[in-house]
């Protein structure tokens, strides 16, 4: 992959948390994808009025056979020293991020209560008591904002910038015929409910489309690449795995049960597999360390290139 393209989506547009940041990214993405010969379609959806998702679809809606799905928004900042992300297991991600998500919030809440107690019982000077009350009020507002919205993380190379860069590089490499069959979908709001994925699936159903879906979720730093598949899509996973470019090695495929698909895009797309890379834990589960923290600065260029080459080979094999 071109270094300039990689830098563009991991650094220049590496923070895609606010709507303004997403729109700047979308403009750059549109330039690259239209230059490569793709048509753009917006897919929008909302939940509970305040939550809105904007997906960017590039491809031929009538002739598409396969859709490469990439989450493009970036995670919120986690104020913790160790953060685990399991791209093939939504339940394990939830369990492993409980401390990183809620302990800092609980500690801030306790600090606010302590401040209110001190301000009301130990500060006799009205000015100091009022100042303490005002400070606690500001912290309460910050606590609510942190719980509802979160703060964008500055560094997001592994999640999800490397996958975005890989998808754009793949799109640029396809010929005219392949561009008719292969589409690209960049999904929004990939936290919790995966609203962007849900909206896209509903849009496909409404349009009478049921394409094969290949999700690129966190091409993370590590020496292991795996393909997870929905129960009825083992054949698709095996066909892709056979195209892995490293001689004498076929990457592992794993069936995703219902608990593993919780809070992932795989819970919405019917004919879907997910490709991810990272490190294996003691339970043979794939994880990526440090996403949503300042540590998410470096990618494994070798793994990214191998995944791009694997998808190129798979696409050519489908002619």
């Amino acid at each position: 992959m071109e270094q300039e393209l990689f830098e563009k989506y991991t650094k220049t547009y590496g923070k895609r948390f606010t709507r303004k940041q997403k729109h700047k990214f979308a403009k750059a993405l549109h330039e690259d994808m239209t230059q490569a010969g793709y048509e753009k379609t917006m897919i929008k959806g909302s939940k509970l009025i305040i939550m809105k998702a904007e997906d960017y679809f590039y491809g031929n809606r009538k002739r598409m056979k396969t859709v490469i799905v990439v989450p493009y928004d970036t995670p919120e900042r986690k104020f913790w020293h160790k953060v685990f992300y399991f791209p093939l297991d939504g339940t394990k991600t939830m369990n492993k991020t409980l401390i990183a998500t809620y302990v800092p919030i609980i500690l801030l809440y306790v600090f606010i209560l302590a401040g209110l107690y001190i301000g009301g019982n130990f500060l006799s000077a009205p000015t100091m008591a009022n100042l303490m009350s005002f400070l606690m009020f500001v912290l309460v507002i910050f606590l609510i904002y942190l719980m509802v919205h979160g703060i964008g993380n500055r560094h997001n190379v592994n999640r999800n910038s490397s996958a975005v860069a890989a998808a754009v590089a793949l799109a640029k490499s396809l010929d005219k015929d392949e561009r008719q069959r292969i589409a690209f979908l960049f999904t929004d709001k990939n936290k919790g409910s995966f609203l962007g994925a849900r909206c896209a699936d509903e849009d496909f159903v409404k349009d009478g489309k049921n394409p094969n879906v290949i999700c690129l979720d966190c091409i993370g730093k590590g020496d292991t690449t795996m393909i997870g598949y929905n129960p009825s899509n083992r054949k698709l996973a095996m066909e892709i795995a056979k195209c892995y470019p490293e001689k004498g090695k076929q990457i592992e495929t794993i069936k995703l049960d219902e608990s593993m698909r919780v809070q992932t895009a795989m819970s919405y797309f019917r004919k879907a597999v997910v490709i991810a890379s990272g490190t294996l834990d003691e339970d043979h589960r794939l994880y990526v360390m440090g996403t949503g923290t300042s540590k998410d600065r470096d990618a494994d260029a070798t793994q990214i290139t191998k995944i791009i080459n694997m998808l190129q080979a798979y696409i050519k094999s489908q002619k």
Side-chain angles (χ1 to χ4, degrees):
M1 178 173 28
E2 298 175 8
Q3 185 64 26
E4 182 179 350
L5 182 67
F6 180 76
E7 296 278 336
K8 182 177 185 177
Y9 290 108
T10 60
K11 293 185 179 180
T12 307
Y13 301 103
K15 188 177 181 181
R16 303 173 298 276
F17 191 74
T18 66
R19 187 54 57 189
K20 184 177 180 181
Q21 292 165 349
K22 292 177 181 179
H23 285 168
K24 286 182 178 180
F25 156 77
K27 183 178 179 181
L29 177 68
H30 184 65
E31 291 176 356
D32 281 331
M33 295 298 285
T34 52
Q35 286 175 8
Y38 293 88
E39 300 175 5
K40 176 185 175 183
T41 304
M42 288 288 294
I43 299 175
K44 296 184 179 182
S46 61
K47 180 181 180 182
L48 302 176
I49 302 177
I50 61 173
M51 185 181 291
K52 297 180 180 180
E54 293 184 353
D55 295 345
Y56 307 111
F57 177 91
Y58 288 91
N60 189 318
R61 291 288 294 257
K62 293 182 179 180
R63 296 183 59 188
M64 66 178 183
K65 300 296 182 184
T66 301
V67 181
I68 310 294
V69 176
V70 187
Y72 75 82
D73 57 345
T74 52
E76 75 277 12
R77 182 76 161 88
K78 299 291 186 183
F79 298 94
W80 203 250
H81 65 295
K82 281 189 177 182
V83 178
F84 293 86
Y85 177 64
F86 292 82
L88 305 184
D89 194 331
T91 297
K92 193 152 190 176
T93 294
M94 285 190 294
N95 293 337
K96 284 288 187 177
T97 55
L98 280 176
I99 293 178
T101 301
Y102 293 108
V103 169
I105 291 175
I106 293 171
L107 290 176
L108 179 58
Y109 179 68
V110 170
F111 179 77
I112 291 171
L113 291 179
L116 291 173
Y117 178 76
I118 292 172
N121 294 279
F122 294 95
L123 296 178
S124 56
T127 302
M128 290 301 296
N130 291 336
L131 183 62
M132 178 64 78
S133 297
F134 177 74
L135 176 60
M136 293 305 106
F137 173 76
V138 171
L139 288 178
V140 168
I141 298 299
F142 175 71
L143 177 62
I144 295 172
Y145 181 83
L146 192 64
M147 294 175 65
V148 175
H149 187 266
I151 298 173
N153 192 51
R154 183 179 178 183
H155 304 286
N156 307 285
V157 174
N158 290 278
R159 186 179 173 203
N160 295 301
S161 301
S162 58
V164 170
V168 175
L170 176 63
K172 286 173 172 279
S173 73
L174 302 184
D175 61 31
K176 185 176 181 180
D177 177 64
E178 291 166 343
R179 289 198 300 271
Q180 298 300 309
R181 296 184 289 108
I182 308 301
F184 293 82
L185 173 66
F186 299 86
T187 58
D188 191 12
K189 293 293 181 183
N190 297 283
K191 175 186 175 182
S193 63
F194 276 71
L195 178 60
R198 190 193 76 182
C199 294
D201 180 63
E202 291 173 351
D203 187 72
F204 290 162
V205 172
K206 182 180 179 181
D207 209 24
K209 301 297 181 181
N210 188 23
N212 289 330
V213 170
I214 302 174
C215 297
L216 299 181
D217 189 348
C218 198
I219 303 178
K221 191 173 182 180
D223 58 1
T224 303
T225 296
M226 297 181 72
I227 301 178
Y229 59 89
N230 283 342
S232 61
N233 299 119
R234 182 176 182 274
K235 182 180 177 181
L236 175 60
M238 294 300 295
E239 288 176 348
I240 298 172
K242 289 177 182 177
C243 297
Y244 194 65
E246 191 172 331
K247 291 184 178 180
K249 181 179 180 181
Q250 181 175 315
I251 58 177
E252 184 178 350
T253 61
I254 179 173
K255 182 171 74 172
L256 306 181
D257 60 31
E258 187 175 352
S259 68
M260 296 168 74
R261 299 196 303 274
V262 169
Q263 291 200 12
T264 73
M266 297 294 285
S267 63
Y268 294 105
F269 297 115
R270 291 156 290 167
K271 294 168 59 178
V273 301
V274 55
I275 302 173
S277 60
T279 306
L280 294 177
D281 68 4
E282 63 278 4
D283 297 322
H284 204 70
R285 298 290 190 186
L286 190 76
Y287 75 91
V288 181
M289 175 77 81
T291 64
T293 72
S294 60
K295 299 175 183 178
D296 193 3
R297 295 169 178 259
D298 303 309
D300 191 327
T302 301
Q303 288 294 90
I304 296 171
T305 300
K306 286 180 180 179
I307 290 175
I308 294 173
N309 292 341
M310 177 176 67
L311 290 173
Q312 288 172 332
Y314 167 73
I315 291 168
K316 292 187 182 302
S317 72
Q318 299 303 300
K319 287 187 176 180

